[in-house]
Amino acid sequence: MRTVVAPAPSPWLPFASRRRARDEKREAVLRTAVQLFLEQGYHRVTLTEVAERLNITKPALYNYFRGKDEILFECWALGQEQVDGFISEIDASGGTGLARLRKLVRAYAEIMATYFGASLVRFDVRDLSEKNSAIIRAGKRRIDRAFRDYIADGIADGSIKPCDAKLSAFAIAGSLNWIGHWYQRDGALSAEAIAQEFAVRLTEGLARKQTAGKATPVVRNNAGRKSRTTDKYRRG
């Protein structure tokens, strides 16, 4: 009778574990790089410095990224993904245009206080490839569109006073973007406290005072989904 010998355990990690380990190392590179970029400026930071901060060799970085500009783009992409995710949640959450606008202001302010959020406003798209620059510009347009749409929806449902939705969106987003420049993590106010304050301050001038006992209508389309905008306020 032939004796069956159990195979020796593989010295290699399972594929899923290897992939997870690679993803974790890749994220570590991005976290370290974005902090250095924000502290010193993108052009002053070298890949050698990033590698030294991570206690690895510079050639090891090329296992994860082709160059510094790719790292920069990925830092931006992580910030944009957070914003896009919040916009999708707000779209599905319901409420008046004013309520959704305040949710977006609050979420965007908190994101601006993170390293990857700050990368949305602190770096120059001209440092990236034409393809990636175009992707970034499209992302910026999505954010602007959401602010405008919520304001336009608020005007339509009566929760926001009549105003120029485009200019109002510019004013709000411009104020929020500056958080990415001045926010200090060791400051007196937390990101949550700043976000809450901005959600009130940046929208109180737009809010229409409701008559006691009068409900604010919610605009929905034929499919039962709230309209994001009206023809009158669509982008030109």
Side-chain angles (χ1 to χ4, degrees):
M1 179 176 179
R2 188 170 68 86
T3 301
V4 178
V5 179
S10 171
W12 307 108
L13 289 171
F15 174 76
S17 297
R18 292 201 307 275
R19 182 172 183 177
R20 184 165 56 251
R22 178 181 174 81
D23 289 345
E24 289 173 354
K25 291 176 181 177
R26 193 172 187 275
E27 289 174 10
V29 172
L30 291 173
R31 287 195 302 271
T32 299
V34 75
Q35 291 179 44
L36 285 171
F37 292 164
L38 292 171
E39 290 169 5
Q40 303 178 28
Y42 172 71
H43 291 289
R44 293 182 179 180
V45 176
T46 65
L47 288 182
T48 299
E49 290 177 277
V50 175
E52 289 176 349
R53 182 74 66 93
L54 288 163
N55 199 29
I56 62 175
T57 64
K58 179 179 175 179
L61 290 176
Y62 292 103
N63 291 323
Y64 309 103
F65 301 98
R66 290 187 291 267
K68 195 169 75 166
D69 62 328
E70 184 178 357
I71 293 176
L72 181 64
F73 174 74
E74 290 297 329
C75 290
W76 169 86
L78 287 173
Q80 183 69 41
E81 285 174 7
Q82 293 180 61
V83 179
D84 287 342
F86 273 115
I87 290 174
S88 294
E89 291 177 11
I90 294 168
D91 281 346
S93 69
T96 64
L98 177 62
R100 283 176 282 148
L101 176 63
R102 284 178 168 162
K103 288 179 183 178
L104 179 55
V105 170
R106 188 179 301 111
Y108 194 77
E110 289 195 37
I111 292 171
M112 280 294 106
T114 68
Y115 290 117
F116 293 121
S119 71
L120 295 177
V121 297
R122 293 276 297 276
F123 304 129
D124 193 335
V125 297
R126 291 173 296 183
D127 290 320
L128 301 173
S129 68
E130 184 176 341
K131 175 184 176 182
N132 286 342
S133 294
I135 293 173
I136 287 179
R137 286 192 291 270
K140 290 179 182 293
R141 287 194 295 272
R142 288 198 300 276
I143 295 171
D144 173 60
R145 182 78 269 170
F147 278 110
R148 293 198 206 186
D149 285 351
Y150 295 155
I151 293 170
D153 281 351
I155 295 170
D157 65 30
S159 60
I160 292 177
K161 301 173 185 175
C163 63
D164 187 307
K166 178 179 178 179
L167 290 180
S168 297
F170 281 172
I172 292 172
S175 298
L176 293 170
N177 285 340
W178 272 103
I179 296 175
H181 293 270
W182 57 255
Y183 176 71
Q184 297 293 324
R185 286 159 186 79
D186 57 354
L189 291 175
S190 67
E192 292 78 9
I194 292 171
Q196 183 63 37
E197 185 72 10
F198 271 57
V200 175
R201 298 300 180 195
L202 295 180
T203 62
E204 60 184 353
L206 295 175
R208 184 194 289 273
K209 293 182 180 179
Q210 299 297 319
T211 303
K214 184 177 180 180
T216 299
V218 176
V219 180
R220 295 177 180 271
N221 59 22
N222 292 335
R225 185 166 180 253
K226 290 169 292 305
S227 171
R228 288 278 313 269
T229 189
T230 63
D231 288 339
K232 181 178 179 181
Y233 294 99
R234 289 187 188 279
R235 182 199 298 266

